Amino acid sequence: MATGSESLKSEIPKRIHVLGAGCLGMFVAHQISGIPDPPRITLLIRSPAILNLWNKSNKSLEVVTRGVEDQRYGYDVELLPLSNTEQPALVAKQLGEDSPQEDRFGKEDNTDQASDLDIIHHLILSVKAPHTILALTMVAHRLTQDSTIVFLQNGLGMVDEVNDQLFPDEITRPNYIVGVISHGVYRTPSKYFSVVHAGFGTLALGVIPRRSMLQPPGASEGISQLASSARYLMRVLTQTPQLVATGFTPTDMLQLQLEKLAMNCIINPLTVMFDCRNQELLDNDNFRRVLRLLLAEISLVIRSLPELQGLPNVVMRFSPDRLEQMVFNLSRKTGENISSMLQDVRAGKKTEIDYLNGYIIRRGEKLGITCVLNYMVLQMVKGKGYLQRTRDEAELPFQTTAGSDVGIEWQGGRDGV
């Protein structure tokens, strides 16, 4: 990791790096570039094939809203350096940069290789939770205590892993902002650098204090006491109209994260187990009984968290009945959608289950609460993912030198199995 002596002496450069060039990363980068006097934006990618595709394109990002296409230009792209042991295609797939089929084996252009010495002051991280460590490992040496990382991800527990594995020193680690985003976006089928803004939502942002949430807040923890990079990112994101972003205190932000966690702990795994769309969870009384049993366990763990003790209305806010109503409302709103976890399972990708129900299980264990139902759901999702990958493997033969068809070996992650 870079040292603080390399920090800027006057003003931090107004460049924002985006790591995770999937739908969400492209959507946020596109919207930021539309504000008055926008910052320079650099997309960080690992796939040479994607870089080659970018160089062959008109080098724009496009967001389609209600059928209206909006293209914006002026982005920089960096190809992060590979280690000798990493496979570019595999790493890129894990970070959401699946190469288009027509370019996957095309000529690779590495001319935009990132400099190993460039400090990253403002980083927006939009990879899926299981790939957080892999992604940040690529740039950890370019982050200082003056840098700020914005985590735009589902689930909880990623920041703890980052601290344990990458930035154990509280004094020298970067600053963190967490976000809860409810916008719905998906990639345009025929265009790699185009996404459809299908669901209008909001973005809640909160700075994670360097102190523990269990410690009393200090008198000087206002916005004026934040690092310059954190203040700048909060200002840029909240001044981007299409994101509808709002800043919250650490305690309020944690409660928003836990509400979204509870909903995701129900909708995502149950749609995987029952192989259904979101709305169909509400149309079946048997499904709803399972839903209520899970919510009772999730509610107990959340209401018992030490960082929430003493806060007003926690018992009612995270009661099973209120969480159930939130799940129903979200399922109706996104009724025809296929959940992201079900899409991942069908595509043979690693899911976020360890950062949803897995987080509830881990916190429950520390509180002396055995989360039997959540553990069962976690194992069933992992088992179904493994089964899907095994079936895909059996259906993808390749031609050997002897001329016989044999199954290829699965190269992706196995979701902890």
Side-chain angles (χ1 to χ4, degrees):
M1 185 183 72
T3 63
S5 61
E6 297 172 82
S7 306
L8 65 165
K9 296 181 179 179
S10 55
E11 186 180 3
I12 291 178
K14 306 301 191 239
R15 176 179 291 274
I16 295 176
H17 291 75
V18 178
L19 179 51
C23 297
L24 182 57
M26 287 193 287
F27 172 73
V28 173
H30 177 277
Q31 303 299 5
I32 291 175
S33 66
I35 66 175
D37 190 23
R40 295 292 300 180
I41 297 176
T42 298
L43 308 177
L44 299 173
I45 62 174
R46 287 303 303 270
S47 170
I50 298 303
L51 176 62
N52 188 40
L53 182 64
W54 174 265
N55 288 332
K56 290 180 178 178
S57 72
N58 61 2
K59 299 185 178 181
S60 70
L61 296 181
E62 178 183 83
V63 170
V64 181
T65 305
R66 294 186 175 132
V68 179
E69 300 176 353
D70 181 15
Q71 286 189 341
R72 293 176 183 169
Y73 302 81
Y75 306 96
D76 299 312
V77 174
E78 290 185 3
L79 180 67
L80 294 173
L82 293 169
S83 71
N84 293 330
T85 59
E86 288 175 331
Q87 304 176 41
L90 174 58
V91 172
K93 179 178 180 179
Q94 291 174 334
L95 299 185
E97 297 174 5
D98 294 318
S99 302
Q101 189 66 38
E102 64 270 17
D103 278 287
R104 190 162 292 166
F105 303 103
K107 181 180 178 182
E108 298 175 352
D109 185 344
N110 297 333
T111 56
D112 292 339
Q113 187 89 1
S115 169
D116 231 17
L117 302 178
D118 292 343
I119 298 299
I120 294 176
H121 298 284
H122 313 100
L123 178 65
I124 295 177
L125 181 71
S126 58
V127 302
K128 291 210 169 188
H131 311 307
T132 302
I133 298 297
L134 171 65
L136 286 180
T137 298
M138 304 171 190
V139 296
H141 61 289
R142 299 172 62 185
L143 297 168
T144 76
Q145 62 266 45
D146 297 312
S147 304
T148 294
I149 305 171
V150 180
F151 294 82
L152 295 183
Q153 301 171 295
N154 281 331
L156 281 168
M158 299 83 72
V159 172
D160 295 330
E161 287 188 355
V162 169
N163 287 339
D164 292 341
Q165 299 184 38
L166 298 179
F167 305 111
D169 188 343
E170 181 179 304
I171 297 177
T172 60
R173 70 174 55 132
N175 305 278
Y176 302 144
I177 296 174
V178 292
V180 172
I181 190 166
S182 59
H183 292 277
V185 294
Y186 63 89
R187 198 186 304 276
T188 305
S190 59
K191 301 177 183 178
Y192 188 86
F193 299 107
S194 173
V195 297
V196 176
H197 188 192
F200 295 89
T202 61
L203 173 59
L205 298 167
V207 177
I208 299 181
R210 291 184 181 271
R211 64 172 179 84
S212 168
M213 289 288 287
L214 299 179
Q215 298 174 2
S220 62
E221 285 191 356
I223 188 69
S224 63
Q225 300 301 317
L226 298 178
S228 297
S229 58
R231 289 202 306 272
Y232 179 71
L233 273 171
M234 288 289 286
R235 186 165 64 250
V236 168
L237 292 170
T238 55
Q239 291 180 355
T240 302
Q242 295 85 351
L243 295 180
V244 196
T246 307
F248 291 86
T249 65
T251 301
D252 289 340
M253 190 66 210
L254 175 61
Q255 293 181 82
L256 291 173
Q257 287 180 288
L258 289 168
E259 286 178 340
K260 184 174 183 182
L261 177 79
M263 291 185 285
N264 283 335
C265 281
I266 300 298
I267 296 175
N268 277 292
L270 292 189
T271 53
V272 170
M273 292 167 59
F274 301 131
D275 196 24
C276 66
R277 295 182 182 271
N278 296 353
Q279 175 67 36
E280 293 175 302
L281 291 177
L282 310 180
D283 300 333
N284 188 307
D285 289 339
N286 303 99
F287 291 177
R288 294 177 68 163
R289 292 187 182 100
V290 174
L291 181 154
R292 291 190 179 106
L293 289 172
L294 269 174
L295 277 177
E297 203 170 82
I298 292 168
S299 170
L300 177 59
V301 171
I302 293 178
R303 287 183 285 113
S304 302
L305 292 176
E307 51 264 54
L308 297 185
Q309 300 311 300
L311 298 179
N313 303 317
V314 167
V315 173
M316 289 301 299
R317 181 169 183 169
F318 294 101
S319 67
D321 289 343
R322 182 174 182 273
L323 293 180
E324 181 181 341
Q325 190 59 51
M326 293 181 70
V327 170
F328 287 174
N329 291 342
L330 183 59
S331 296
R332 291 190 186 98
K333 181 180 177 181
T334 62
E336 293 304 312
N337 292 4
I338 297 174
S339 72
S340 60
M341 187 173 290
L342 180 54
Q343 293 180 50
D344 287 341
V345 168
R346 289 177 175 178
K349 295 180 179 180
K350 195 170 185 177
T351 73
E352 298 173 314
I353 191 70
D354 283 320
Y355 302 89
L356 299 176
N357 304 76
Y359 180 81
I360 292 295
I361 295 168
R362 292 191 297 274
R363 294 306 304 267
E365 287 176 348
K366 292 181 179 180
L367 295 166
I369 302 171
T370 303
C371 300
V372 178
L373 296 176
N374 279 274
Y375 184 78
M376 179 187 70
V377 166
L378 181 143
Q379 296 301 327
M380 293 182 73
V381 169
K382 289 186 175 184
K384 185 161 185 179
Y386 178 77
L387 180 62
Q388 181 66 47
R389 291 192 292 271
T390 303
R391 289 174 174 172
D392 291 344
E393 174 185 333
E395 294 174 0
L396 292 173
F398 67 86
Q399 193 75 16
T400 66
T401 54
S404 61
D405 288 338
V406 298
I408 65 171
E409 180 183 1
W410 177 257
Q411 295 294 322
R414 295 203 166 191
D415 203 12
V417 179

